[in-house]
């Protein structure tokens, strides 16, 4: 983001926001993924996908919030960045997905350590969570 800011010093606010938003991102899905699969196979695709999750947080979260603050032209304000993040649908979807994965992993751990009723309750909760994730109505 800093590189985008520095490269667009003499540009308009819109151009500066554009540079701040687009410089820190990587085009993983359309460019790197086919090469990774060809060279490294399924494990490479998995590793690249994990990298892309972090890339998405930066591009859809941090860079979007900073670019929105730059475009406003009122100076950098952390509150404004948080406000932009709170309405960014892709960022919120990524946060929700990470929370679902963590809670699912925690549920598996509870299921494996539990006995009797706790195991039954955890299995039911995990089943409902899977139905929600896959969109079964």
């Amino acid at each position: 983001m800093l590189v985008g800011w520095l490269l667009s010093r003499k540009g308009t606010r819109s151009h500066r926001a554009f540079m701040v938003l687009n410089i820190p991102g990587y085009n993983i899905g359309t460019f790197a993924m086919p090469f990774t699969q060809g060279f490294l196979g399924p494990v490479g695709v998995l590793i690249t996908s994990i990298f892309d999750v972090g890339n998405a947080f930066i591009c859809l979260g941090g860079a979007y919030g900073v670019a929105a603050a730059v475009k406003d032209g009122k100076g950098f304000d952390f509150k404004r960045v948080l406000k932009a993040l709170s309405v960014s649908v892709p960022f919120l979807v990524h946060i929700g997905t990470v929370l679902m994965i963590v809670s699912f992993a925690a549920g598996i751990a509870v299921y494996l350590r539990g006995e009797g009723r706790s195991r039954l309750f955890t299995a039911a909760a995990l089943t409902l969570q899977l139905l929600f994730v896959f969109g079964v109505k």
Side-chain angles (χ1 to χ4, degrees):
M1 287 185 273
L2 180 63
V3 171
W5 176 270
L6 293 174
L7 288 175
S8 63
R9 280 190 310 244
K10 297 177 183 175
T12 64
R13 282 196 320 248
S14 295
H15 182 257
R16 183 172 281 179
F18 178 80
M19 295 293 279
V20 166
L21 182 63
N22 289 304
I23 290 284
Y26 298 98
N27 191 359
I28 300 295
T30 57
F31 178 72
M33 201 66 80
F35 288 107
T36 305
Q37 182 184 12
F39 293 130
L40 303 173
V43 173
V45 171
L46 177 65
I47 292 168
T48 307
S49 298
I50 292 170
F51 172 79
D52 195 34
V53 169
N55 179 44
F57 278 114
I58 295 299
C59 292
L60 303 173
Y64 174 75
V66 172
V70 167
K71 189 163 168 59
D72 286 347
K74 299 175 186 171
F76 183 78
D77 182 19
F78 195 67
K79 260 187 188 176
R80 201 169 309 128
V81 172
L82 288 178
K83 183 180 178 192
L85 290 178
S86 69
V87 297
S88 171
V89 174
F91 181 74
L92 295 175
V93 167
H94 273 82
I95 292 289
T97 303
V98 168
L99 290 175
M100 297 274 297
I101 291 169
V102 168
S103 67
F104 188 75
I108 294 288
V110 168
Y111 177 79
L112 293 175
R113 283 186 277 143
E115 295 178 11
R117 286 187 182 177
S118 68
R119 192 171 253 200
L120 178 64
F121 174 76
T122 307
L126 290 172
T127 303
L128 286 174
Q129 191 175 16
L130 282 174
L131 291 175
F132 178 72
V133 168
F134 291 115
V136 177
K137 298 175 183 173

